Amino acid sequence: MDIRIHAHTLTTAAGLGNSANREALRGGDSGLTRNDFEDSPLDTWIGRVGAADDYQWAENEINWRSRNNALAAIGLAQDDFSASVAQLSSEFGSNRIGVVIGTSTSSIGRTEHGYRLLVDDTMPDEFHQPMVHNPHSPAAYIAHLLSIDGPQMTISTACSSSAKVFATASRWLEAGVVDAVLVGGVDSLCLSVLHGFHALELIAAERCRPFDAARKGINIGEAAGFALLRPADPQSPAAGIRLSGYGESSDAYHMSHPHPDGAGAESAMRQALTGAQLEPEQIDYINFHGTASRANDTIEANVVSRLFSPNHTRASSTKGWTGHTLGAAGVVELLIAVDAIGSGFIPGTKGLTELDPEINFPVQQDSEEGELRHVMSNSFGFGGNNCVIICSAVS
Amino acid sequence: MIFAIEGVGVWGAGYAHWNELLQRHPREPARVASADADTGPSALPASGPKPEIIPARERRRAPLAVKLAVEVASQAFEQTDIAASDTACVFASGMGDTSITDHMCRAVATADKLLSPTKFHNSVHNAAAGYWSISTGCMMPANSISAFNYTAALALLEAGTQCQVQQRPILLVLFDTSTPATFAGSMTVDEDFAAALLLSPGRDDSRPAIEINMNGDEPTPSSKGQKRDLSKVTTANPAAQLLPLLHCIATQTTEPISLPVGTGSSLTVQLSSSARTKR
């Protein structure tokens, strides 16, 4: 089945909406700022979406209140995305549109807040929000906001969550379960994540430096990204970007350390190529997972160097602009790669000054103009959960 | 979509194994199993199951939610030659591991905000899938999903579409554990429950089969299938929404069960009428 991205939008610390993010990647302005989130004492940098700080909740929506849901609403308001959804909803019927959202945080930030105010193990009344204190909150809220009645599901597989949503949507469309799917990811800053990664000694005190010889770890970011998927419209055969292939796998190795040989990552990349019926040399650009952790970057780059040649393929990590947006990273980075097809602009790797000598692939440091036809995005999560997505220009 | 049932696992609602649930359900759907001294439900250990497939050192540190999920997954593979290491999986939980959520929220409410690194990596929603894949050496795709009160239905939809599109077996695991007191204002789950189904594509006369179809409307609450819930588990346990289907499988009842998947759509699942069962 020929599946197309019919509309898309992303919101990160680098900007609200597609053109703001494009300009940040072009101009070099990172969205990272020093950590001043709530009362976290951690010395690090974060990717914060300021608009989520003072989001005004309407009285009739107050049951949904959380930073994560605010970020979802802000994200959906960009690039006329909601209007595109409404158009397909009207065309196919609101119960023929599916919603599949990736998240790792959901609204745990709101739960954390409620716990700070516990009296006799009870949260204050305004925190009695059944639709917020569970993993499914963003998907349910998005379906509610856009009046979508079709199947709604959350995928929560850590950092691969909002890449896997594309694979699921592809299958739902192929099986005829729905006629279009709203996919995406939303993750927001919260103390559990900042301090959890810190406990694992994965957080850098400095701005992150993916693939750099002196890299010291990751920076956490928040983001919301969405795409509307549908089978190619016979009335507009050249419209949209093709979802060409996907690959999914497990490392079966360790909960928080990737497989040392990158076996699972390699399997996911090969499956995506096979599904897309493409050879590695046809991939023009890869957006690395590239978190700036010591383990991920070496392992991932060396898998890429085994499969791809720098003569044909450019590859960079864009987490130096956005931070590691965890459950939203999959969709954010795929959409950055997709945007590069349209703009002819290949982002470099912000934060990279000297490539780690143990890495066998010339990671793109600076940006470059170039025509892109096929792009790939990698997302690898805790528990050894891997997902690779390939998108292509439509000829 | 039609799938052969290769295996079933269950833990909770008084049952520590699928065989126990089978024994307690009479072949005639009209009779209701009674909890008398001979056939009463077993007392399930409060600490949960101890699935041996997780190596002992890891099993000690594994959260209850993980042990429940891995236990029922292991049970589902007992009845088949299909290898766990060759099988893709979908793990599903409506509330996630709320005991770890509780731990983390309490920790970050303090000034130090010190978190256990093990508890943090176990807090990912896909922890159970991760432990399962590591314990079985399975490098096939693993999914971890949630859909609050629609979780059981979406688990069937996700597993079913994977099985159908990729034409290979799929393991589906549902689990939800009792919630801490702090959640009482929002959602309460009183008992632990987990269930697993191992499905393969198409029909095979030697096995029972289920059919899954999408409908256009949300079902009314009085759907017939839901009257058959014989368990003591509160219907607020999202994973336990699978119980009516398990009952139908156990009693060879072909009544359709309608489960909402969204605010305006549902799916229908039923035991396929032309399948013969050997259990």
Side-chain angles (χ1 to χ4, degrees), chain B residues 110-152:
Chain B
T110 66
D112 293 337
K113 306 189 192 326
L114 290 175
L115 283 175
S116 146
T118 302
K119 283 206 144 84
F120 179 64
H121 72 55
N122 284 346
S123 74
V124 292
H125 192 69
N126 60 309
Y131 270 80
W132 172 254
S133 69
I134 293 166
S135 301
T136 57
C138 178
M139 297 186 70
M140 297 293 283
N143 212 346
S144 282
I145 68 151
S146 190
F148 198 43
N149 288 326
Y150 303 148
T151 298

Short mmCIF file of all heavy atoms in Angstrom, two decimals, chain B residues 110-152:
data_model
loop_
_atom_site.label_atom_id
_atom_site.label_comp_id
_atom_site.label_asym_id
_atom_site.label_seq_id
_atom_site.Cartn_x
_atom_site.Cartn_y
_atom_site.Cartn_z
N THR B 110 11.07 15.01 47.30
CA THR B 110 12.04 15.37 48.34
C THR B 110 13.05 16.36 47.78
O THR B 110 13.14 16.55 46.57
CB THR B 110 12.83 14.13 48.83
OG1 THR B 110 13.64 13.65 47.75
CG2 THR B 110 11.90 13.02 49.29
N ALA B 111 13.84 16.94 48.66
CA ALA B 111 14.82 17.93 48.19
C ALA B 111 15.91 17.27 47.34
O ALA B 111 16.34 17.80 46.33
CB ALA B 111 15.43 18.66 49.38
N ASP B 112 16.36 16.07 47.76
CA ASP B 112 17.46 15.40 47.07
C ASP B 112 17.08 14.84 45.71
O ASP B 112 17.91 14.73 44.82
CB ASP B 112 17.98 14.21 47.89
CG ASP B 112 18.63 14.67 49.17
OD1 ASP B 112 19.05 15.84 49.21
OD2 ASP B 112 18.69 13.87 50.12
N LYS B 113 15.83 14.40 45.60
CA LYS B 113 15.33 13.79 44.35
C LYS B 113 16.20 12.61 43.92
O LYS B 113 16.46 12.42 42.73
CB LYS B 113 15.27 14.85 43.24
CG LYS B 113 14.45 16.06 43.66
CD LYS B 113 14.19 17.00 42.54
CE LYS B 113 13.63 18.33 42.99
NZ LYS B 113 12.75 18.32 44.15
N LEU B 114 16.63 11.81 44.87
CA LEU B 114 17.47 10.66 44.52
C LEU B 114 16.61 9.49 44.07
O LEU B 114 15.73 9.05 44.81
CB LEU B 114 18.33 10.25 45.73
CG LEU B 114 19.43 11.23 46.10
CD1 LEU B 114 20.14 10.78 47.37
CD2 LEU B 114 20.44 11.39 44.96
N LEU B 115 16.89 8.99 42.89
CA LEU B 115 16.12 7.87 42.35
C LEU B 115 17.02 6.66 42.19
O LEU B 115 18.20 6.79 41.86
CB LEU B 115 15.58 8.22 40.96
CG LEU B 115 14.37 9.13 40.87
CD1 LEU B 115 14.06 9.47 39.42
CD2 LEU B 115 13.15 8.47 41.50
N SER B 116 16.46 5.47 42.40
CA SER B 116 17.20 4.25 42.12
C SER B 116 17.31 4.09 40.61
O SER B 116 16.30 4.12 39.92
CB SER B 116 16.44 3.07 42.73
OG SER B 116 16.60 1.92 41.93
N PRO B 117 18.53 3.92 40.07
CA PRO B 117 18.65 3.75 38.61
C PRO B 117 17.91 2.52 38.10
O PRO B 117 17.32 2.56 37.02
CB PRO B 117 20.16 3.62 38.38
CG PRO B 117 20.79 3.44 39.72
CD PRO B 117 19.83 3.93 40.74
N THR B 118 17.91 1.44 38.89
CA THR B 118 17.19 0.24 38.47
C THR B 118 15.70 0.51 38.40
O THR B 118 15.04 0.13 37.43
CB THR B 118 17.45 -0.92 39.46
OG1 THR B 118 18.85 -1.15 39.51
CG2 THR B 118 16.75 -2.19 39.02
N LYS B 119 15.17 1.17 39.42
CA LYS B 119 13.74 1.48 39.39
C LYS B 119 13.43 2.41 38.22
O LYS B 119 12.38 2.30 37.61
CB LYS B 119 13.30 2.13 40.70
CG LYS B 119 13.14 1.14 41.86
CD LYS B 119 12.14 1.65 42.89
CE LYS B 119 11.31 0.54 43.50
NZ LYS B 119 11.96 -0.13 44.61
N PHE B 120 14.34 3.31 37.89
CA PHE B 120 14.07 4.21 36.77
C PHE B 120 14.00 3.44 35.46
O PHE B 120 13.06 3.61 34.68
CB PHE B 120 15.09 5.34 36.68
CG PHE B 120 14.81 6.26 35.52
CD1 PHE B 120 13.65 7.02 35.48
CD2 PHE B 120 15.67 6.33 34.43
CE1 PHE B 120 13.36 7.84 34.40
CE2 PHE B 120 15.40 7.15 33.35
CZ PHE B 120 14.24 7.91 33.33
N HIS B 121 14.97 2.57 35.20
CA HIS B 121 14.87 1.87 33.92
C HIS B 121 13.72 0.85 33.92
O HIS B 121 13.22 0.49 32.87
CB HIS B 121 16.20 1.29 33.40
CG HIS B 121 16.75 0.09 34.11
ND1 HIS B 121 16.06 -1.10 34.29
CD2 HIS B 121 17.97 -0.13 34.64
CE1 HIS B 121 16.84 -1.96 34.92
NE2 HIS B 121 17.99 -1.40 35.14
N ASN B 122 13.30 0.43 35.11
CA ASN B 122 12.11 -0.43 35.18
C ASN B 122 10.80 0.35 35.08
O ASN B 122 9.73 -0.25 35.02
CB ASN B 122 12.11 -1.23 36.50
CG ASN B 122 13.10 -2.39 36.47
OD1 ASN B 122 13.59 -2.75 35.41
ND2 ASN B 122 13.38 -2.95 37.63
N SER B 123 10.90 1.68 35.09
CA SER B 123 9.67 2.49 35.05
C SER B 123 9.16 2.69 33.63
O SER B 123 8.04 3.18 33.44
CB SER B 123 9.89 3.86 35.70
OG SER B 123 10.67 4.69 34.84
N VAL B 124 9.96 2.37 32.64
CA VAL B 124 9.46 2.51 31.27
C VAL B 124 8.30 1.55 31.07
O VAL B 124 8.30 0.44 31.59
CB VAL B 124 10.56 2.28 30.19
CG1 VAL B 124 11.59 3.39 30.24
CG2 VAL B 124 11.21 0.92 30.35
N HIS B 125 7.30 1.99 30.34
CA HIS B 125 6.09 1.20 30.14
C HIS B 125 6.41 -0.15 29.50
O HIS B 125 5.71 -1.13 29.74
CB HIS B 125 5.11 1.99 29.27
CG HIS B 125 3.73 1.43 29.22
ND1 HIS B 125 2.86 1.43 30.30
CD2 HIS B 125 3.05 0.85 28.20
CE1 HIS B 125 1.71 0.88 29.94
NE2 HIS B 125 1.79 0.50 28.68
N ASN B 126 7.52 -0.19 28.73
CA ASN B 126 7.90 -1.43 28.06
C ASN B 126 8.88 -2.28 28.88
O ASN B 126 9.56 -3.14 28.33
CB ASN B 126 8.48 -1.16 26.67
CG ASN B 126 9.73 -0.29 26.71
OD1 ASN B 126 9.74 0.77 27.33
ND2 ASN B 126 10.80 -0.73 26.07
N ALA B 127 8.91 -2.08 30.20
CA ALA B 127 9.82 -2.89 31.02
C ALA B 127 9.50 -4.37 30.89
O ALA B 127 10.39 -5.20 30.73
CB ALA B 127 9.74 -2.46 32.48
N ALA B 128 8.22 -4.73 30.95
CA ALA B 128 7.84 -6.15 30.85
C ALA B 128 8.29 -6.73 29.51
O ALA B 128 8.84 -7.83 29.45
CB ALA B 128 6.34 -6.31 31.03
N ALA B 129 8.06 -5.97 28.44
CA ALA B 129 8.49 -6.44 27.11
C ALA B 129 10.00 -6.60 27.08
O ALA B 129 10.53 -7.55 26.49
CB ALA B 129 8.04 -5.46 26.03
N GLY B 130 10.70 -5.66 27.73
CA GLY B 130 12.16 -5.73 27.77
C GLY B 130 12.65 -6.96 28.52
O GLY B 130 13.51 -7.71 28.04
N TYR B 131 12.10 -7.21 29.70
CA TYR B 131 12.49 -8.39 30.48
C TYR B 131 12.18 -9.66 29.71
O TYR B 131 12.95 -10.63 29.72
CB TYR B 131 11.74 -8.42 31.82
CG TYR B 131 12.45 -7.70 32.95
CD1 TYR B 131 12.39 -6.31 33.06
CD2 TYR B 131 13.17 -8.41 33.91
CE1 TYR B 131 13.03 -5.64 34.10
CE2 TYR B 131 13.80 -7.75 34.96
CZ TYR B 131 13.73 -6.37 35.05
OH TYR B 131 14.36 -5.71 36.08
N TRP B 132 11.02 -9.71 29.06
CA TRP B 132 10.62 -10.88 28.29
C TRP B 132 11.61 -11.13 27.16
O TRP B 132 12.11 -12.25 26.98
CB TRP B 132 9.21 -10.69 27.73
CG TRP B 132 8.77 -11.75 26.77
CD1 TRP B 132 8.65 -11.64 25.41
CD2 TRP B 132 8.40 -13.10 27.08
NE1 TRP B 132 8.23 -12.83 24.86
CE2 TRP B 132 8.06 -13.74 25.86
CE3 TRP B 132 8.31 -13.85 28.27
CZ2 TRP B 132 7.64 -15.07 25.79
CZ3 TRP B 132 7.90 -15.17 28.19
CH2 TRP B 132 7.57 -15.78 26.98
N SER B 133 11.94 -10.07 26.40
CA SER B 133 12.83 -10.28 25.24
C SER B 133 14.23 -10.67 25.71
O SER B 133 14.88 -11.52 25.09
CB SER B 133 12.86 -9.05 24.34
OG SER B 133 13.51 -7.97 24.96
N ILE B 134 14.69 -10.10 26.82
CA ILE B 134 16.01 -10.46 27.34
C ILE B 134 16.00 -11.91 27.84
O ILE B 134 16.92 -12.68 27.57
CB ILE B 134 16.44 -9.48 28.46
CG1 ILE B 134 16.66 -8.07 27.88
CG2 ILE B 134 17.70 -9.97 29.17
CD1 ILE B 134 16.75 -6.96 28.92
N SER B 135 14.95 -12.30 28.57
CA SER B 135 14.88 -13.65 29.13
C SER B 135 14.75 -14.73 28.07
O SER B 135 15.23 -15.85 28.25
CB SER B 135 13.69 -13.77 30.09
OG SER B 135 13.81 -12.84 31.14
N THR B 136 14.10 -14.42 26.96
CA THR B 136 13.87 -15.42 25.91
C THR B 136 14.86 -15.28 24.76
O THR B 136 14.84 -16.09 23.83
CB THR B 136 12.45 -15.31 25.33
OG1 THR B 136 12.28 -13.98 24.82
CG2 THR B 136 11.40 -15.59 26.38
N GLY B 137 15.68 -14.23 24.78
CA GLY B 137 16.58 -14.00 23.66
C GLY B 137 15.84 -13.63 22.39
O GLY B 137 16.29 -13.89 21.28
N CYS B 138 14.70 -12.98 22.54
CA CYS B 138 13.85 -12.69 21.39
C CYS B 138 14.17 -11.34 20.78
O CYS B 138 14.00 -10.31 21.44
CB CYS B 138 12.38 -12.73 21.82
SG CYS B 138 11.25 -12.34 20.49
N MET B 139 14.62 -11.30 19.55
CA MET B 139 14.96 -10.04 18.89
C MET B 139 13.86 -9.58 17.93
O MET B 139 14.04 -8.62 17.18
CB MET B 139 16.31 -10.18 18.17
CG MET B 139 17.44 -10.45 19.16
SD MET B 139 19.08 -10.47 18.45
CE MET B 139 19.31 -8.74 18.05
N MET B 140 12.73 -10.26 17.98
CA MET B 140 11.59 -9.85 17.16
C MET B 140 11.02 -8.53 17.69
O MET B 140 11.31 -8.14 18.82
CB MET B 140 10.52 -10.94 17.20
CG MET B 140 10.97 -12.26 16.62
SD MET B 140 11.25 -12.17 14.85
CE MET B 140 9.55 -12.22 14.26
N PRO B 141 10.20 -7.85 16.88
CA PRO B 141 9.63 -6.58 17.34
C PRO B 141 8.79 -6.76 18.60
O PRO B 141 8.08 -7.76 18.75
CB PRO B 141 8.73 -6.15 16.16
CG PRO B 141 9.27 -6.87 14.98
CD PRO B 141 9.85 -8.15 15.49
N ALA B 142 8.89 -5.79 19.49
CA ALA B 142 8.12 -5.79 20.72
C ALA B 142 7.38 -4.47 20.82
O ALA B 142 7.96 -3.42 20.57
CB ALA B 142 9.03 -5.96 21.93
N ASN B 143 6.10 -4.52 21.17
CA ASN B 143 5.35 -3.29 21.36
C ASN B 143 4.82 -3.23 22.78
O ASN B 143 4.60 -4.27 23.41
CB ASN B 143 4.19 -3.22 20.35
CG ASN B 143 3.89 -1.78 19.94
OD1 ASN B 143 4.35 -0.84 20.58
ND2 ASN B 143 3.10 -1.61 18.90
N SER B 144 4.64 -2.02 23.30
CA SER B 144 4.03 -1.82 24.61
C SER B 144 3.02 -0.72 24.47
O SER B 144 3.38 0.39 24.12
CB SER B 144 5.08 -1.42 25.66
OG SER B 144 5.78 -2.55 26.06
N ILE B 145 1.78 -1.04 24.74
CA ILE B 145 0.71 -0.09 24.44
C ILE B 145 -0.15 0.17 25.67
O ILE B 145 -0.06 -0.52 26.68
CB ILE B 145 -0.18 -0.60 23.29
CG1 ILE B 145 -0.98 -1.82 23.74
CG2 ILE B 145 0.67 -0.92 22.06
CD1 ILE B 145 -2.31 -1.95 23.02
N SER B 146 -0.98 1.19 25.53
CA SER B 146 -1.94 1.52 26.56
C SER B 146 -3.10 2.22 25.90
O SER B 146 -2.92 2.89 24.87
CB SER B 146 -1.28 2.44 27.59
OG SER B 146 -2.11 2.61 28.72
N ALA B 147 -4.30 2.06 26.47
CA ALA B 147 -5.45 2.80 25.96
C ALA B 147 -6.49 2.95 27.07
O ALA B 147 -7.70 2.93 26.80
CB ALA B 147 -6.06 2.11 24.73
N PHE B 148 -6.02 3.07 28.30
CA PHE B 148 -6.87 3.22 29.48
C PHE B 148 -7.99 2.18 29.46
O PHE B 148 -7.69 0.98 29.42
CB PHE B 148 -7.39 4.66 29.57
CG PHE B 148 -7.92 5.03 30.94
CD1 PHE B 148 -7.25 4.66 32.10
CD2 PHE B 148 -9.10 5.76 31.07
CE1 PHE B 148 -7.74 5.00 33.36
CE2 PHE B 148 -9.60 6.11 32.32
CZ PHE B 148 -8.92 5.73 33.47
N ASN B 149 -9.24 2.55 29.46
CA ASN B 149 -10.30 1.55 29.52
C ASN B 149 -10.48 0.77 28.22
O ASN B 149 -11.20 -0.23 28.19
CB ASN B 149 -11.63 2.19 29.92
CG ASN B 149 -11.62 2.56 31.39
OD1 ASN B 149 -11.03 1.88 32.22
ND2 ASN B 149 -12.29 3.67 31.72
N TYR B 150 -9.83 1.22 27.15
CA TYR B 150 -9.92 0.51 25.88
C TYR B 150 -8.72 -0.43 25.68
O TYR B 150 -8.53 -0.98 24.60
CB TYR B 150 -9.92 1.49 24.70
CG TYR B 150 -11.00 2.55 24.69
CD1 TYR B 150 -10.73 3.81 24.13
CD2 TYR B 150 -12.29 2.32 25.18
CE1 TYR B 150 -11.71 4.80 24.09
CE2 TYR B 150 -13.26 3.31 25.13
CZ TYR B 150 -12.96 4.55 24.59
OH TYR B 150 -13.93 5.54 24.54
N THR B 151 -7.89 -0.59 26.71
CA THR B 151 -6.61 -1.28 26.53
C THR B 151 -6.75 -2.70 25.98
O THR B 151 -6.02 -3.09 25.06
CB THR B 151 -5.80 -1.30 27.84
OG1 THR B 151 -5.50 0.05 28.22
CG2 THR B 151 -4.49 -2.06 27.68
N ALA B 152 -7.67 -3.50 26.54
CA ALA B 152 -7.80 -4.88 26.08
C ALA B 152 -8.19 -4.91 24.60
O ALA B 152 -7.67 -5.70 23.81
CB ALA B 152 -8.81 -5.64 26.92
#
